[in-house]
Amino acid sequence: MNKTSTLYLARMLLASGMLAVLCGCWNIKDINHRALPIAMGLEETGDELQIYLLIPFNDKNKQNTVIVSESGNTINEIIDRINKNIEMQIDLLHLKIIVFERSIAEQGLNDSIASFMRAGDVSAKTIVTITDQNLKLLFERMKSSTMEEGIGIYNFFEKNAGWSPHLAQTRIWHVFRSAHSHTKDVPVPLINPGHTTALASTGSAVLRHGKMVGKITSDETLMFNAFAGAGSQGKIEVMDHAAVLIVGDTLTHRASFEGNTPVLNSKLTLKVTIIETKGSPTATLIKQELEELWTYRYQQMFRKIQSVHADILGLGQLFRSKLSMDRLDRWRDEYYPRLKFNLKVKAVIQNEGLLKMKE
Amino acid sequence: MELLEQLRSRQRQDSDMFIHRFSLVHYPVTLVGAASLIDLPQTMKLLQLQAQNIVTSEQPLLALSGGIGEFISQDDIPQVIEAISEGKLIIVPDNADPCVKLTPISRTLSRSIEAPITENVLRGGISAFIEDLDTNIGILKKQTISDRLRVHTYWLGSKQRRKATLLYIDGVVNGSFLQRLQRAIESHQTKDVPDLQALNAMLGFTKWALVTRFNTTELPDSASYALGQGKVVMFLDRLPFALILPSVVVDMFASDNDRSYPSFFMYAIRLLRIIGLLTNMLMPGLYVALVSVNPDVLRIEIAMSIAGSRVGVPYPAMVETILLLVILELILEASIRLPKSIGPTITMVGGIILGEAVVEARLVSNVLIIILAATTIASFTVIGFHNAISIRISKYLILILSSIFGVLGLFAGMVVISAYLASITSFGIPYLSSSRVKEQSDG
Amino acid sequence: MDKSLQVIVVYLLTHVGLIFFMYPTDIIETLEAGHWIAVLLGFAIHIALLTVYLRGLKYGAPNNIIDIFKDVGRWFAMVILFPVALYFTMMIIITVRAYSEIVTLIFLDSTPLWAIMALILFVSSLMAMYGVESIFRTGLLVALLFSPALLLVFSLAFQNVEFLYWFPMIDERSATFSYVFSKPYLLSFFAFTGGFLFLGFIPSYIPYKPRKVLIASTALLPLFLISVYVPLLTFGPSAASALQFPFISAVDTVNVSWLMFDRVTLFFLLSLVGFSMIFLSLVIWKTSLLVRSAFKFMSHIVTVLAITAVIFLICLYIPDWQSVERLLWWNTILRLYVMFVIPITTLAVGLLRHRKGANLT
């Protein structure tokens, strides 16, 4: 039994060593002693940063939300200060939305995003948004008209909840990726306080290398989502003679080089069903109208973003197989402004609803 | 007569012993035995019947003995005493011939075959083993009709003797395991075995093991199935269950009773038991880890509702969990001993106290009660009460590790328990082997 | 009895535990494009060495590697195997320190490092004390328990992948293999060598068929490719090279709305730490075997305890991540020795014996 008793002794020694460890339960902080903010807003006041935090409370099955704000020089310093003055510990783990004010966005988000990615205490899946109105007002709106106990705010952006294809869905890691990428930029949703709802989306901001350089409208954001494959289902398009519901879209590309000019031929097939008609138009007329509308919109949007050298559609990705790495470096400034983008839109009417219609 | 003198003096210490003059065919003899173990009138009738068949001769007792018993010399007093305490009848002739020891008609001191108490059977036989060793062997033999069934009997102990029997099926059993088992028994035959812990020690297993080395079952079906799988069945006299060695981890989930159902259901039910086992071990630790140390793993809605349920609770989650677990263990332990008349009352009181009042008084959170109720129920989905106890203990280890290290502690606890289970072997068969312990299997 | 299944499982386990942390960082740092060539090259070297090693072991069967070398000569064995023991010790130190740091970084930020190191060492040394057969059984059980989580995370990891980032497929640097002697690439061999040396130490305790192990090792290639390409395809090569732990960050971006847990990364990470505990226990056992073959009087348990205590003390003295990286670099030199010399020597010894045996008959 020698082996067993030595083994036993060894285990007892180790176990008693562990008991000493037990005295320090370092990381224990019960969940009801943590404040878990779900939205954070950043704006610049003079030389300093001002941060707003939207914190939901749960007090005996009653939901409350609280707005806390502080100013300082860097994000972490401000969080620290808030921690000093609040009876719980702030934990940024469940942060769902970050709202930047427009002026910060125009100076460049790269540093803030990099610090979030480095520290790891903010999840990389947090949605990034920009607002061009008063941040304080926005937070007040979020707090007062919160559906679903204050955490409903992020359902605004969730695909299986309140998201609609008008909204770009950009997370921190998307911005991080585009900050380092040669060929991809991102649009960031612009939100403002709504009239009767908590939030209203007024289009998207175009970020180039982390700096805001322009704006696109909601419709154009829809174009972007359809292009990016994020889906355009459920969107209703209104034209002169009819309104249709988009049920699906498919996109094919062909990228080539003509001399030194990159050329992209793409075909977008839209599948729609007709839901409203004005008068009695024919199916061909509706299809024509739809195709013209979309082609026009795409051209508009593309011109806009090409002029600011921001490649949010990710067209550069399609040319990665054709260019070497060092030339890809100069995609945004050299090749992209010269890109010829030929988009053909084809509409397919899947069905006409429960009423018949003329061909 | 020296023998009779000795016996009479012994009778003064042991009034249970009777010394009865009897006339066997017209030869006077003395019958000695224990009155509580022997049915004397029936035995005397039997003797008369047998004696009538004896042809009168000079040495009738010798002729008698040839048929019904064995000889013990009158000088061999210890053997006589031993025979008496075993319940045999001693016939002492008046002359100096050796006495005869024979097996009399004994009193019925065991109950009849009834349904099992600790096991529930849904689709199988419900005769259970009883205390009498020979009846048990008989029941098992009726279940396993095989010409390769071997039976070995041992008398264990010196101060308190006990009969033990080993059964196995030749050709199916694992040879080396059987050899080592038999060697262990034979080398420690003089150790007393009043209970299972002593049996454990006699076989050489460590007494600090978290896992029982033998499976117990009250059902002959299970015992017979185990025999077919190459295991060894041991019976101890006066223990109404069969001990099956070696025990393997699969016994926790797989009972032979499952085979009464179609295969698909059998696998589904086994999977359910495994889930029950994991739930029991991991839930309390997971709760403490997710609530105290790593709340970023939970979704925000759950986090909010748990936080809300814990408002006002004065101590951290770990203390709360251990407190409630101890109370649940107390209830479980008490309910084993409750007489049937008080049972329902206590259940109601316990339910009301724990369920409502403790949450209202803000002593524990209601989410925790749900979790621990699920845990306790899950601990009984495994087969065998002894197994349920082992897993109930291991969840405390995981709980403590989780409260210090969070989810890392949970995983580390799982690894530690797996390592511990992996290190247990019974005579060369590891605990973590599959159910077939046949010839070549070695883990 | 053929326990090949256990050996295969432990072999795969130990590699999985090592690959997903440091390997992607090193490969992404080596090249800008055409990473698949680097991965394939590394894998080819691994398979070649494995084949040589197993061949050599077959000639020396059923002895384990210590006995094979001792047959040639006691001093020969000591000279060859001493660096191996040193390598093992350094490997344990680096692994324990690095993993504790990673755990602290990612989720347990206020628990002091020594507590986490103590936990990992405690579990590993406990398993090592129980003996090698028990380690393998534990490996099988732990693999069964943790694989559902792992498989779930693997399938979810592809949620955010954009295949266009694969291009450009190849560039000048990768095509000419000019990176082979660069520091990050040599560091990447960390993921290869840890796992196969144990095959030489176990023959007398655990019988297995070498061919099955070879076939199973091809299952590793997809894992290596996944570990490098998931972060590359999610973030793009330029962003991925800015990340310290690309695979972990890539899995962090996955959004699962139907699970009750928010951060699936954690379970993945912890399964890997669990696997690496098994790996560490195997290495501790091997080291104990080596030490005991030199100093015959020590018992297994005392040796394991001594090794663990020494390692713990050394780990306490390593102050920061930079030192860990420096240690990793120094160990690379030892690793290259161990990686090439041991299998070739085993085969050489085996061939010599074989020929000598053939000459005698």
Side-chain angles (χ1 to χ4, degrees):
Chain A
M1 299 302 143
N2 204 8
K3 176 179 176 184
T4 342
S5 58
T6 334
L7 184 60
Y8 171 65
L9 186 64
R11 273 190 271 157
M12 283 295 114
L13 277 176
L14 282 170
S16 45
M18 287 292 284
L19 270 179
V21 160
L22 200 68
C23 313
C25 299
W26 307 271
N27 244 71
I28 286 194
K29 190 149 265 177
D30 280 340
I31 200 171
N32 49 326
H33 296 308
R34 296 185 195 228
L36 304 167
I38 53 166
M40 171 151 88
L42 289 109
E43 69 177 357
E44 266 200 337
T45 48
D47 250 343
E48 288 191 326
L49 264 182
Q50 176 109 0
I51 288 194
Y52 293 87
L53 288 175
L54 187 70
I55 308 180
F57 272 90
N58 197 331
D59 190 21
K60 282 200 200 224
N61 299 324
K62 225 181 347 155
Q63 291 280 357
N64 269 327
T65 15
V66 155
I67 301 180
V68 175
S69 95
E70 252 317 324
S71 57
N73 284 325
T74 73
I75 300 177
N76 288 311
E77 184 200 340
I78 301 174
I79 302 284
D80 215 26
R81 276 200 201 165
I82 298 181
N83 254 333
K84 227 183 359 176
N85 298 329
I86 202 174
E87 74 269 15
M88 298 189 281
Q89 180 187 305
I90 302 264
D91 248 332
L92 292 175
L93 324 150
H94 276 113
L95 207 58
K96 298 284 179 203
I97 303 185
I98 299 190
V99 188
F100 288 101
E101 223 216 343
R102 186 170 176 147
S103 43
I104 298 190
E106 280 168 359
Q107 284 171 20
L109 294 177
N110 280 349
D111 286 335
S112 324
I113 299 287
S115 67
F116 286 139
M117 289 291 283
R118 178 186 297 272
D121 56 356
V122 175
S123 160
K125 295 185 287 215
T126 314
I127 302 235
V128 176
T129 60
I130 297 182
T131 179
D132 46 10
Q133 292 190 14
N134 193 332
L135 206 58
K136 186 155 185 200
L137 189 59
L138 178 65
F139 269 73
E140 294 282 338
R141 273 320 295 257
M142 281 207 263
K143 170 185 164 173
S144 60
S145 54
T146 47
M147 307 161 276
E148 219 189 309
E149 308 120 14
I151 37 189
I153 289 299
Y154 81 100
N155 280 331
F156 198 61
F157 293 97
E158 280 292 315
K159 264 211 178 132
N160 58 354
W163 179 76
S164 92
H166 274 293
L167 219 49
Q169 202 185 41
T170 311
R171 301 179 190 261
I172 286 188
W173 67 272
H174 286 127
V175 183
F176 175 73
R177 177 175 67 173
S178 93
H180 288 262
S181 169
H182 303 304
T183 52
K184 200 166 163 70
D185 288 313
V186 281
V188 171
L190 275 173
I191 59 175
N192 288 320
H195 290 294
T196 45
T197 57
L199 296 179
S201 151
T202 52
S204 314
V206 174
L207 285 186
R208 177 184 187 273
H209 260 312
K211 283 209 183 94
M212 174 170 169
V213 291
K215 237 180 90 139
I216 56 177
T217 64
S218 301
D219 287 333
E220 288 163 351
T221 318
L222 172 67
M223 305 283 129
F224 164 77
N225 272 331
F227 204 85
S232 49
Q233 284 97 312
K235 168 72 176 70
I236 296 184
E237 276 295 347
V238 179
M239 299 161 296
D240 284 333
H241 288 106
V244 295
L245 178 71
I246 304 182
V247 291
D249 60 84
T250 33
L251 198 54
T252 50
H253 301 285
R254 215 158 29 106
S256 56
F257 261 95
E258 275 172 20
N260 226 358
T261 323
V263 172
L264 183 64
N265 294 315
S266 311
K267 189 162 102 155
L268 174 69
T269 312
L270 270 179
K271 288 210 228 1
V272 298
T273 63
I274 302 182
I275 44 178
E276 283 178 35
T277 54
K278 255 199 215 118
S280 41
T282 61
T284 0
L285 180 61
I286 296 181
K287 274 200 270 197
Q288 210 178 338
E289 274 187 357
L290 186 60
E291 284 165 10
E292 276 171 13
L293 179 65
W294 273 57
T295 318
Y296 173 67
R297 278 210 202 127
Y298 263 109
Q299 305 273 12
Q300 282 277 66
M301 177 179 75
F302 184 64
R303 253 196 298 266
K304 215 192 276 189
I305 55 180
Q306 196 177 28
S307 62
V308 286
H309 293 204
D311 186 8
I312 56 173
L313 290 173
L315 300 175
Q317 299 281 75
L318 301 162
F319 284 91
R320 280 181 87 95
S321 50
K322 308 232 179 311
L323 289 173
S324 65
M325 276 307 268
D326 44 337
R327 282 205 271 168
L328 272 179
D329 245 336
R330 296 174 267 139
W331 168 259
R332 278 199 193 91
D333 294 313
E334 278 189 25
Y335 295 94
Y336 183 60
R338 282 182 288 167
L339 172 68
K340 276 213 219 57
F341 182 36
N342 304 326
L343 176 70
K344 269 199 278 288
V345 181
K346 182 158 136 61
V348 169
I349 298 187
Q350 195 159 309
N351 63 59
E352 297 144 5
L354 294 171
L355 289 180
K356 285 205 265 206
M357 202 163 113
K358 275 203 293 267
E359 199 43 52
Chain B
M1 309 261 268
E2 209 191 294
L3 178 61
L4 278 177
E5 287 306 315
Q6 288 268 4
L7 289 177
R8 268 185 243 278
S9 69
R10 207 178 159 81
Q11 199 182 31
R12 276 193 283 275
Q13 292 172 332
D14 186 7
S15 57
D16 185 36
M17 192 160 67
F18 64 83
I19 302 182
H20 188 83
R21 293 290 302 173
F22 185 60
S23 161
L24 196 60
V25 191
H26 58 256
Y27 280 95
V29 289
T30 319
L31 297 177
V32 187
S36 56
L37 297 175
I38 299 181
D39 189 347
L40 194 53
Q42 296 278 20
T43 313
M44 289 198 289
K45 216 197 298 186
L46 172 71
L47 281 177
Q48 292 290 22
L49 260 171
Q50 290 186 324
Q52 276 167 13
N53 296 329
I54 305 289
V55 179
T56 41
S57 73
E58 274 94 56
Q59 306 237 296
L61 266 174
L62 228 48
L64 214 69
S65 67
I68 50 176
E70 50 180 76
F71 284 119
I72 303 184
S73 153
Q74 288 212 14
D75 306 313
D76 194 355
I77 297 183
Q79 238 196 340
V80 171
I81 309 271
E82 196 179 293
I84 293 177
S85 56
E86 274 180 30
K88 305 271 196 266
L89 182 69
I90 304 282
I91 307 179
V92 184
D94 280 348
N95 50 19
D97 285 343
C99 10
V100 182
K101 160 176 118 170
L102 54 87
T103 311
I105 299 187
S106 17
R107 284 183 192 269
T108 336
L109 289 173
S110 305
R111 55 192 168 113
S112 53
I113 300 180
E114 299 168 350
I117 302 180
T118 57
E119 295 178 36
N120 272 327
V121 186
L122 282 180
R123 242 205 210 182
I126 42 177
S127 315
F129 292 128
I130 60 173
E131 286 80 2
D132 184 34
L133 182 62
D134 295 312
T135 320
N136 286 344
I137 301 181
I139 298 178
L140 188 56
K141 276 204 162 171
K142 231 174 144 54
Q143 191 83 21
T144 323
I145 302 185
S146 160
D147 56 337
R148 290 187 297 166
L149 182 66
R150 307 271 177 262
V151 183
H152 289 271
T153 310
Y154 302 94
W155 276 100
L156 301 174
S158 46
K159 288 183 287 236
Q160 264 186 318
R161 297 174 68 229
R162 199 173 194 145
K163 198 164 162 192
T165 318
L166 221 59
L167 292 104
Y168 59 91
I169 295 189
D170 200 13
V172 175
V173 75
N174 190 320
S176 64
F177 169 73
L178 180 65
Q179 267 178 19
R180 288 162 78 165
L181 177 62
Q182 284 182 315
R183 220 182 313 146
I185 296 181
E186 282 153 16
S187 51
H188 292 144
Q189 254 183 316
T190 50
K191 280 211 185 129
D192 284 340
V193 182
D195 48 48
L196 284 184
Q197 264 191 24
L199 181 66
N200 210 5
M202 183 191 90
L203 288 177
F205 299 137
T206 158
K207 60 179 182 171
W208 292 105
L210 270 185
V211 171
T212 54
R213 288 310 209 318
F214 357 88
N215 254 333
T216 56
T217 173
E218 279 187 273
L219 296 169
D221 289 356
S222 312
S224 157
Y225 183 66
L227 282 177
Q229 285 190 319
K231 300 197 186 166
V232 173
V233 172
M234 191 148 122
F235 284 111
L236 278 179
D237 199 16
R238 305 324 289 178
L239 283 183
F241 44 81
L243 299 164
I244 304 181
L245 293 115
S247 88
V248 285
V249 73
V250 188
D251 291 332
M252 264 204 244
F253 318 118
S255 114
D256 67 298
N257 216 359
D258 296 337
R259 287 172 183 272
S260 320
Y261 304 101
S263 313
F264 181 69
F265 296 123
M266 178 176 87
Y267 289 122
I269 291 183
R270 287 184 183 176
L271 185 64
L272 191 66
R273 290 188 191 131
I274 297 182
I275 294 178
L277 171 74
L278 288 175
T279 310
N280 174 65
M281 287 217 288
L282 300 179
M283 280 300 244
L286 193 64
Y287 174 79
V288 173
L290 291 182
V291 166
S292 292
V293 184
N294 283 129
D296 48 336
V297 184
L298 286 173
R299 292 190 75 78
I300 181 86
E301 294 98 337
I302 301 184
M304 286 279 100
S305 63
I306 294 185
S309 70
R310 291 204 79 238
V311 167
V313 175
Y315 25 71
M318 173 176 134
V319 177
E320 185 191 9
T321 313
I322 290 192
L323 194 67
L324 206 51
L325 274 174
V326 168
I327 294 182
L328 277 172
E329 298 285 348
L330 289 174
I331 291 185
L332 274 174
E333 186 58 27
S335 62
I336 299 180
R337 288 169 224 298
L338 284 176
K340 290 196 175 48
S341 42
I342 314 188
T345 320
I346 296 285
T347 321
M348 191 172 66
V349 168
I352 294 180
I353 290 182
L354 281 187
E356 286 294 310
V358 120
V359 172
E360 279 298 314
R362 298 246 144 254
L363 287 176
V364 290
S365 66
N366 44 15
V367 174
L368 182 63
I369 294 194
I370 300 174
I371 290 185
L372 288 184
T375 306
T376 317
I377 294 177
S379 74
F380 290 105
T381 54
V382 298
I383 300 175
F385 188 69
H386 45 279
N387 287 325
I389 297 188
S390 330
I391 58 181
R392 267 159 64 191
I393 300 259
S394 35
K395 72 174 182 262
Y396 289 101
L397 172 70
I398 295 192
L399 180 63
I400 293 183
L401 277 177
S402 303
S403 62
I404 304 178
F405 294 104
V407 193
L408 173 66
L410 190 73
F411 278 74
M414 276 208 272
V415 174
V416 169
I417 291 188
S418 311
Y420 178 72
L421 290 180
S423 69
I424 299 180
T425 62
S426 345
F427 294 127
I429 308 262
Y431 188 67
L432 282 185
S433 45
S434 69
S435 55
R436 273 148 224 284
V437 278
K438 300 211 178 146
E439 255 334 308
Q440 301 93 12
S441 161
D442 215 352
Chain C
M1 193 229 151
D2 185 31
K3 294 199 194 162
S4 303
L5 181 66
Q6 288 181 2
V7 175
I8 293 176
V9 167
V10 172
Y11 173 78
L12 287 175
L13 264 190
T14 54
H15 279 98
V16 168
L18 290 175
I19 295 175
F20 288 94
F21 287 115
M22 310 294 293
Y23 185 71
T25 323
D26 294 323
I27 294 283
I28 294 181
E29 214 178 303
T30 321
L31 286 174
E32 274 185 18
H35 302 86
W36 53 280
I37 302 183
V39 175
L40 279 177
L41 177 65
F43 188 67
I45 296 183
H46 174 73
I47 293 273
L49 289 172
L50 191 64
T51 321
V52 167
Y53 195 46
L54 286 175
R55 216 70 232 283
L57 283 174
K58 201 164 76 135
Y59 285 128
N63 290 331
N64 65 14
I65 197 173
I66 304 181
D67 295 329
I68 293 180
F69 287 158
K70 268 201 186 156
D71 257 349
V72 177
R74 195 147 185 269
W75 284 109
F76 177 71
M78 282 199 51
V79 164
I80 294 258
L81 290 176
F82 176 68
V84 179
L86 198 61
Y87 169 68
F88 284 155
T89 319
M90 279 194 70
M91 178 100 121
I92 304 176
I93 296 176
I94 295 173
T95 313
V96 169
R97 184 69 177 71
Y99 279 32
S100 320
E101 186 76 53
I102 293 175
V103 161
T104 311
L105 201 64
I106 299 194
F107 64 102
L108 277 179
D109 42 18
S110 353
T111 313
L113 267 182
W114 62 262
I116 303 184
M117 292 198 286
L119 178 71
I120 298 182
L121 277 174
F122 169 68
V123 177
S124 303
S125 56
L126 187 71
M127 283 200 279
M129 279 196 263
Y130 280 139
V132 66
E133 291 169 29
S134 164
I135 295 180
F136 276 78
R137 285 194 287 264
T138 316
L140 197 55
L141 184 61
V142 165
L144 273 175
L145 284 176
F146 291 167
S147 347
L150 274 183
L151 287 173
L152 183 69
V153 173
F154 278 142
S155 30
L156 288 176
F158 284 93
Q159 196 192 56
N160 284 319
V161 153
E162 236 178 84
F163 284 101
L164 287 173
Y165 272 118
W166 187 289
F167 300 106
M169 267 189 41
I170 193 170
D171 71 353
E172 197 191 304
R173 206 159 165 239
S174 57
T176 57
F177 294 108
S178 55
Y179 55 85
V180 174
F181 291 105
S182 66
K183 181 165 160 175
Y185 192 64
L186 289 176
L187 278 174
S188 77
F189 279 105
F190 170 76
F192 289 119
T193 334
F196 73 86
L197 280 174
F198 75 88
L199 291 169
F201 286 85
I202 57 175
S204 46
Y205 301 96
I206 300 190
Y208 64 96
K209 288 214 184 50
R211 200 163 27 101
K212 292 196 188 168
V213 177
L214 263 179
I215 299 179
S217 65
T218 51
L220 278 181
L221 184 61
L223 288 176
F224 280 112
L225 283 172
I226 291 180
S227 77
V228 172
Y229 270 98
V230 164
L232 271 181
L233 297 177
T234 312
F235 289 110
S238 9
S241 44
L243 291 167
Q244 180 73 279
F245 300 112
F247 192 79
I248 308 281
S249 307
V251 177
D252 245 336
T253 65
V254 169
N255 190 22
V256 212
S257 43
W258 46 267
L259 212 56
M260 65 176 262
F261 301 117
D262 216 8
R263 252 183 114 185
V264 200
T265 330
L266 221 60
F267 294 108
F268 176 69
L269 212 115
L270 292 173
S271 310
L272 294 185
V273 174
F275 288 165
S276 62
M277 282 189 206
I278 295 183
F279 165 67
L280 281 173
S281 70
L282 199 57
V283 180
I284 294 181
W285 177 79
K286 284 190 284 187
T287 319
S288 151
L289 206 61
L290 282 173
V291 168
R292 274 193 307 141
S293 70
F295 306 104
K296 294 225 193 315
F297 54 88
M298 298 180 79
S299 83
H300 178 61
I301 296 176
V302 172
T303 323
V304 170
L305 278 177
I307 295 175
T308 315
V310 165
I311 290 179
F312 187 57
L313 285 172
I314 298 183
C315 282
L316 286 177
Y317 276 105
I318 303 179
D320 53 22
W321 186 252
Q322 297 284 39
S323 323
V324 174
E325 293 200 327
R326 225 176 321 139
L327 274 177
L328 206 54
W329 177 237
W330 292 341
N331 208 24
T332 312
I333 303 169
L334 265 179
R335 173 172 316 128
L336 287 173
Y337 163 80
V338 167
M339 212 169 88
F340 284 104
V341 171
I342 300 287
I344 297 182
T345 323
T346 321
L347 184 62
V349 169
L351 277 175
L352 265 149
R353 298 263 131 177
H354 190 69
R355 229 162 273 160
K356 227 191 270 181
N359 278 343
L360 282 176
T361 54

